Amino acid sequence: MKRILLIEALANSGPYVLDAARSLGAHVLVATHEDVYGSYPAALRERIDGTVFTDLTDPDRALADLAAFAEATGIDAVAGCWEFFTPLVARLARRLDLPGNDPGRAQACRNKAEMAQAFAAGRVPAPRTVVADTAEQAQRALARAGIGFPVVVKPAEQGGSWGVSVVGSPGQLDAAVRHAQSWPVAAPHGLPMDQRVVVQEYVGGPEFSLDTVVWREEYFHLPLVEKHTTGGSYRAETGHTCPAAVRPADLAAVRAAAERALKALGIRNGVAHTEVKISPEAGPVVIEVGARLPGDHLVDVVRRASGIDEARAYLQAVLDEKPDVPAPREGACAIRFLTPPRAGTFRGVTILGRHDGLVDRHLTTPPGAAVGSAHDNSARIGHLVFTAPTPGQVNADAARVLAHTRVEVS
Ligand SMILES: Nc1ncnc2c1ncn2[C@@H]1O[C@H](COP(=O)(O)OP(=O)(O)OP(=O)(O)O)[C@@H](O)[C@H]1O
Ligand SMILES: [Mg+2]
């Protein structure tokens, strides 16, 4: 039986990876910290075949510990779920002589400042970007680069749209930079985050994500997903629809841009999640790439829409087997996140009227809990999942149900 070493399973895609391993008849050993393992839900622990404890906030020590474990017990593949550990996944795979990404460029897959440099070097269509420690530095760098407002300010390292804001004028830069620097460490491991901020030109147009499984430097693209976000200063995701209804020429252009981005980042084995906007003037512009499976239950959304299990295809790639990415079957799936209308005490969710297309609903926040307003993905209290024969139908069903959904807050 094949043995996969998974660096941290406590992630949105973790349960999908563990189920996929089971379907492939492989065992999964999870590398994590003992204290973090203590917080694993029972349903996650039950799916794991073994653990190895180390300190994932100390990459050199973790590399030594995990290499020693792998050499002693025999490991056939290294995988990851968390963006911040993708450099460690790449370094460990190299050390064990297993398939993986280029460790020399892997840091650019977790750090948006380094990613911007790699994109510029690889001539990837991406927003022009400056990097700064303070608002004054940012303003000078923007002027030197000739980048006008609006701009997008974000932490060099973070996710879930935390600390990301759209800034319309120089007077708002200071608050935006401070907001981006509000999270010096990432839970649950306490991993220190680069406190620099990246400031980018604002790209207009609709937004999409494209997942790609890479095996022997060959690209296996999953269906394109349409991404819905809030407008205004904060861009939290409100939902996704798969497949995105785009013209074939746009799809081809998005795939070409994503392949360029993956090459620039040294992603040659595994999976990548590319976020891209289609600008009316410039065509596809790559916002970011994660060398990992998507979050937001997109593994489930893509599978329900297309029949393709990208977690399974990812594990096949790291096991050096040809990934199973068949042509998608007909169908569409949408997920919509529920957020409170304002901060307060969450009381419950009521859906009035017809529920056409609604196939799953999940609350992540118990009634009685304090909730915040929707600046980033931490405000979510749950989600709804819809399926229908076409993207147009599933978007219409989701819109109708959401119009009749009340998130009660007192
Ligand atoms: N340069 C840009 N122009 C226009 N919009 C942008 C730009 N950069 C980011 N955004 C918007 O902000 C959102 C979050 O930004 P980004 O993806 O860089 O941060 P993140 O924290 O990694 O997000 P997440 O983990 O939610 O995908 C994007 O999905 C997009 O809607
Ligand atoms: Mg993003």
Side-chain angles (χ1 to χ4, degrees), residues 218-347:
E218 190 182 334
Y219 302 108
F220 297 80
H221 295 294
L222 280 289
L224 189 67
V225 173
E226 177 190 4
K227 175 162 165 163
H228 307 256
T229 70
T230 52
S233 302
Y234 300 104
R235 298 294 163 101
E237 281 125 340
T238 54
H240 306 268
T241 303
C242 179
V246 294
R247 292 177 312 172
D250 284 335
L251 179 61
V254 166
R255 287 179 170 182
E259 290 182 12
R260 251 196 128 79
L262 269 52
K263 281 201 183 88
L265 296 171
I267 297 175
R268 57 193 182 200
N269 178 279
V271 65
H273 175 70
T274 303
E275 296 181 331
V276 56
K277 293 190 87 166
I278 302 185
S279 149
E281 301 88 33
V285 178
V286 177
I287 300 295
E288 67 161 342
V289 174
R292 52 160 175 84
L293 286 164
D296 283 359
H297 297 285
L298 279 172
V299 174
D300 182 47
V301 170
V302 169
R303 190 175 48 195
R304 286 182 195 257
S306 69
I308 308 172
D309 183 343
E310 58 180 304
R312 190 168 182 276
Y314 167 48
L315 293 184
Q316 288 173 315
V318 294
L319 285 163
D320 202 18
E321 293 167 16
K322 185 173 183 187
D324 232 340
V325 184
R329 67 167 184 232
E330 294 283 304
C333 179
I335 188 166
R336 295 292 183 269
F337 302 107
L338 298 172
T339 49
R342 58 189 166 81
T345 304
F346 175 55
R347 294 296 171 202

Side-chain angles (χ1 to χ4, degrees), residues 159-215:
S161 302
W162 291 14
V164 178
S165 55
V166 180
V167 171
S169 67
Q172 302 166 330
L173 257 185
D174 199 45
V177 167
R178 265 188 267 178
H179 178 56
Q181 292 174 326
S182 314
W183 293 273
V185 292
H189 288 269
L191 200 63
M193 299 279 96
D194 183 348
Q195 282 298 279
R196 294 178 298 166
V197 296
V198 301
V199 186
Q200 302 185 320
E201 63 184 336
Y202 179 84
V203 180
E207 189 167 2
F208 304 89
S209 67
L210 177 70
D211 297 340
T212 307
V213 176
V214 192
W215 175 68

